Amino acid sequence: MTDNKSSLPVVAGTLQTDPRSGGLKRSSGVNVLPCVAETWSQVRDDKNEDVNWLIAGYASNSKTDITVIAKGPGGMDACSQSLPKDQAVFGGIRVGQRFVTFFYTDEGTPTMQKGRASMHKNGVLNVLEGADGEVEIQRAQNGDNQALELNCVTESFKKEPAQNAASEQKKCVGQKFPIG
């Protein structure tokens, strides 16, 4: 009798369950530093008007440690102005009474960093608890190098849990913001 478990493919990912391990979960190796969760708490705090977005990225000289690289007031406009060049980043923004997360890679981001960051994406965004969805940030397709477009990519943000959800969604989808 052959052992079917050894023929199963091993797929890398964040918190994947390996069938050969008896259901134990293993991590992709990303280490999200506590300051990221602390800053996200500030973003989600209704009384705090000093911080309504955060950008997290790799700590200097690290391939696995994620730290806060920018935060502040000003919503999507200020956040888009703070996106770093040539670096993959993760983040979260308050949109009205809702919260969205994002993953962004600049055109000049090294290919290996893009790949590593995409493997770490779920692990990092899972730390940003209570988000209503994820937005996709990309350069405008009209050739405007100084504009970003935000598009909702998760169904949970597209649904209407509140009366004003449709207007909040319109603030997000297809909107263009200048970048620094």
Side-chain angles (χ1 to χ4, degrees):
M1 185 169 197
T2 61
D3 184 6
N4 288 336
K5 289 184 181 180
S6 63
S7 65
L8 294 174
V10 177
V11 180
T14 301
L15 295 179
Q16 142 200 347
T17 303
D18 184 352
R20 296 174 291 173
S21 67
L24 296 176
K25 292 183 178 181
R26 62 183 180 169
S27 172
S28 65
V30 67
N31 180 27
V32 182
L33 300 178
C35 63
V36 175
E38 292 165 6
T39 303
W40 184 242
S41 295
Q42 293 174 6
V43 170
R44 291 188 45 82
D45 184 358
D46 291 334
K47 296 174 187 163
N48 185 347
E49 296 179 8
D50 296 330
V51 179
N52 63 12
W53 57 267
L54 76 88
I55 298 173
Y58 292 97
S60 62
N61 300 324
S62 176
K63 294 180 181 181
T64 57
D65 292 344
I66 303 294
T67 189
V68 174
I69 58 174
K71 65 181 182 178
M76 286 189 231
D77 192 34
C79 182
S80 66
Q81 291 284 331
S82 300
L83 288 170
K85 299 211 182 297
D86 303 334
Q87 188 177 355
V89 293
F90 316 88
I93 308 169
R94 175 187 284 267
V95 180
Q97 294 300 311
R98 305 189 60 189
F99 305 92
V100 295
T101 58
F102 65 86
F103 170 62
Y104 174 75
T105 58
D106 188 59
E107 290 174 349
T109 305
T111 304
M112 291 300 288
Q113 188 183 83
K114 283 181 184 179
R116 183 173 36 259
S118 66
M119 292 286 295
H120 292 160
K121 176 186 157 194
N122 288 341
V124 176
L125 296 185
N126 284 342
V127 171
L128 307 180
E129 295 178 343
D132 295 308
E134 181 181 342
V135 292
E136 178 182 30
I137 300 179
Q138 59 191 14
R139 292 206 182 273
Q141 298 298 319
N142 62 6
D144 183 0
N145 286 339
Q146 294 302 311
L148 296 177
E149 291 181 338
L150 302 184
N151 297 302
C152 296
V153 294
T154 57
E155 288 299 319
S156 62
F157 188 67
K158 293 178 183 179
K159 292 180 183 172
E160 288 191 37
Q163 290 179 350
N164 62 351
S167 64
E168 288 178 13
Q169 180 183 347
K170 288 177 186 170
K171 289 180 190 174
C172 167
V173 177
Q175 194 167 13
K176 297 179 182 174
F177 296 91
I179 59 171

